[in-house]
Amino acid sequence: NRVSELNTLIQKYNSDKEFLSDGNIKTAIGSAEYDIIYDADKILSGVISGDSVHIGKILNDKRLGTTSFNFDVVYNTISTQAIPSAKALGKIHHIAYNGYNYNNISIDAQSYPTGMKGMVDIDDENLKSCANITYIDAPHKDIQLDLSLNKIHFNNINLVKTDKEEELSLKAIAQLRGKDFKHLYGNIEFNDINLQTKENNYSLKDIIINAQKQENETSLYTINSEILTASIEGQASLADIVANFTNQLSHHLPILVKKQNIPATDFTYEITVKDAPVLHSLTDTKFALKKPVRMFGNLSSDNEQMSLNIDAPSVSYNEKDYDDIALVCNTTPDNMNVHAIASTY
């Protein structure tokens, strides 16, 4: 990407140890302007802006497109710490990602030798959100994340692939804290969940997820909603739970499921699912959960064992009723045993 035009000026500012520089650069992948001062304390500060910069080509990422931005920046060039002292305050006017152009993203970020903190506010017509994060690296690692999601239309910003006549939207609030991003504890609350299809409008009031670190160093995750309640307890992060289930299945279904390199876990779980109209929007199959369905069991990665139990007292499928459905599945590295019973009338 050849430079087509470069204009720059460097001159002394106040003393022999201070310099001022401003200029602009134009290339085939966008243009940028800067106005920067380098002072006697070796602090670099000023304004940097870009117009139609194709960051996808710069980073070799096809999901990214062009962006335009304007930032006030400060950077301590003599910092010897792992985290340098710096500030960035400004706005990303637009940035293209995954086929959608996000607009009006404000950023206020600061780093210092013992950590960093920042705020990101998005005021797009299809995504309105604000996140505040604080990361402390020393003397003890600590992460605090507060997020408010006031509006999101998944279909319009290409986050989900559904029929063009379907639209999924929701709101959310999250308050999380932990020592690393895989082990954050607190609450996430989803509100005003709406799925608009060609035939119907489905809605859920709330989904509340709570994560707690217990005194015995185990984690307890709970989910409460109209259609699902769940409790998961043990040595596991939410990010690793599903992956450990698939790892257990990889022993017996290696063609379908590939084993992943993830931390070992040991946990128990119990999930109850109730019938609701939104469940029927996920499939064309005619079914009904006449009574709640309960799933429970445990998983131990160290012993490479897993158990899954399903109790479905009353279910209808394709207009036929089934009662007292029970399924028991136990796995070891060498065996997978599955037993199922049901009665019909």
Side-chain angles (χ1 to χ4, degrees):
N1 296 299
R2 188 169 54 190
V3 175
S4 59
E5 184 178 336
L6 173 63
N7 298 296
T8 188
L9 172 66
I10 301 176
Q11 59 185 354
K12 291 182 180 179
Y13 178 76
N14 288 341
S15 73
D16 290 340
K17 295 182 179 180
E18 297 181 314
F19 298 91
L20 180 149
S21 177
D22 63 80
N24 61 74
I25 181 172
K26 294 182 179 180
T27 74
I29 57 172
S31 61
E33 296 182 0
Y34 64 92
D35 188 349
I36 294 174
I37 295 174
Y38 183 73
D39 66 21
D41 296 322
K42 297 185 178 181
I43 303 296
L44 196 68
S45 62
V47 178
I48 299 175
S49 62
D51 183 33
S52 299
V53 178
H54 203 305
I55 58 173
K57 292 183 178 180
I58 296 173
L59 300 176
N60 194 28
D61 190 334
K62 294 182 179 180
R63 296 171 298 178
L64 290 165
T66 61
T67 182
S68 294
F69 56 86
N70 188 83
F71 280 96
D72 292 319
V73 296
V74 178
Y75 180 72
N76 184 349
T77 64
I78 61 172
S79 175
T80 59
Q81 304 292 330
I83 302 176
S85 296
K87 293 181 181 179
L89 175 64
K91 194 168 189 175
I92 298 175
H93 303 293
H94 72 83
I95 182 170
Y97 178 76
N98 199 29
Y100 181 76
N101 206 37
Y102 295 85
N103 295 288
N104 303 321
I105 303 173
S106 299
I107 297 176
D108 184 355
Q110 178 179 356
S111 65
Y112 40 90
T114 58
M116 59 185 69
K117 61 182 179 180
M119 180 278 296
V120 178
D121 185 90
I122 304 175
D123 187 18
D124 184 85
E125 63 176 328
N126 290 301
L127 175 60
K128 296 187 183 298
S129 177
C130 183
N132 287 277
I133 184 169
T134 300
Y135 170 74
I136 299 175
D137 186 61
H140 305 290
K141 291 187 181 296
D142 185 47
I143 298 171
Q144 295 184 50
L145 173 62
D146 294 305
L147 170 70
S148 63
L149 181 61
N150 298 315
K151 179 181 181 181
I152 184 169
H153 293 283
F154 287 89
N155 306 67
N156 294 350
I157 59 179
N158 301 327
L159 282 183
V160 296
K161 293 183 178 180
T162 62
D163 189 281
K164 290 183 179 180
E165 296 183 358
E166 293 184 352
E167 181 178 340
L168 175 63
S169 63
L170 56 80
K171 297 180 180 180
I173 297 174
Q175 294 179 315
L176 302 171
R177 184 170 181 171
K179 295 181 179 180
D180 60 71
F181 285 100
K182 291 187 68 174
H183 298 85
L184 293 176
Y185 299 95
N187 293 283
I188 304 175
E189 185 173 337
F190 299 96
N191 311 111
D192 299 336
I193 306 163
N194 288 285
L195 175 62
Q196 180 70 54
T197 68
K198 184 178 180 180
E199 295 83 12
N200 295 294
N201 181 42
Y202 303 98
S203 63
L204 290 173
K205 292 181 180 179
D206 303 303
I207 298 177
I208 300 173
I209 301 173
N210 179 266
Q212 298 178 21
K213 186 70 173 287
Q214 303 190 106
E215 291 183 359
N216 59 1
E217 294 301 309
T218 61
S219 301
L220 174 63
Y221 305 99
T222 59
I223 303 173
N224 288 284
S225 70
E226 299 173 52
I227 62 172
L228 182 145
T229 59
S231 176
I232 304 169
E233 183 175 4
Q235 298 285 352
S237 69
L238 278 178
D240 294 331
I241 287 173
V242 175
N244 271 276
F245 269 113
T246 58
N247 273 2
Q248 294 302 311
L249 294 175
S250 69
H251 292 296
H252 314 287
L253 303 170
I255 296 177
L256 300 177
V257 182
K258 302 299 181 183
K259 189 171 184 178
Q260 303 177 52
N261 184 21
I262 54 174
T265 61
D266 190 342
F267 60 88
T268 61
Y269 63 92
E270 182 167 344
I271 302 169
T272 300
V273 181
K274 300 178 182 178
D275 200 42
V278 69
L279 287 178
H280 302 277
S281 69
L282 304 176
T283 176
D284 293 329
T285 304
K286 294 182 179 179
F287 75 96
L289 307 180
K290 295 187 173 182
K291 294 183 179 180
V293 174
R294 179 172 172 254
M295 295 174 280
F296 60 96
N298 62 73
L299 184 147
S300 174
S301 296
D302 290 335
N303 299 325
E304 296 188 321
Q305 295 179 342
M306 178 184 74
S307 71
L308 168 65
N309 301 268
I310 300 178
D311 289 336
S314 182
V315 176
S316 70
Y317 177 75
N318 284 340
E319 300 181 350
K320 188 171 185 178
D321 293 329
Y322 297 85
D323 288 343
D324 302 321
I325 299 173
L327 182 145
V328 178
C329 174
N330 292 291
T331 71
T332 66
D334 302 318
N335 297 292
M336 174 186 283
N337 297 312
V338 180
H339 303 277
I341 60 172
S343 61
T344 64
Y345 59 90

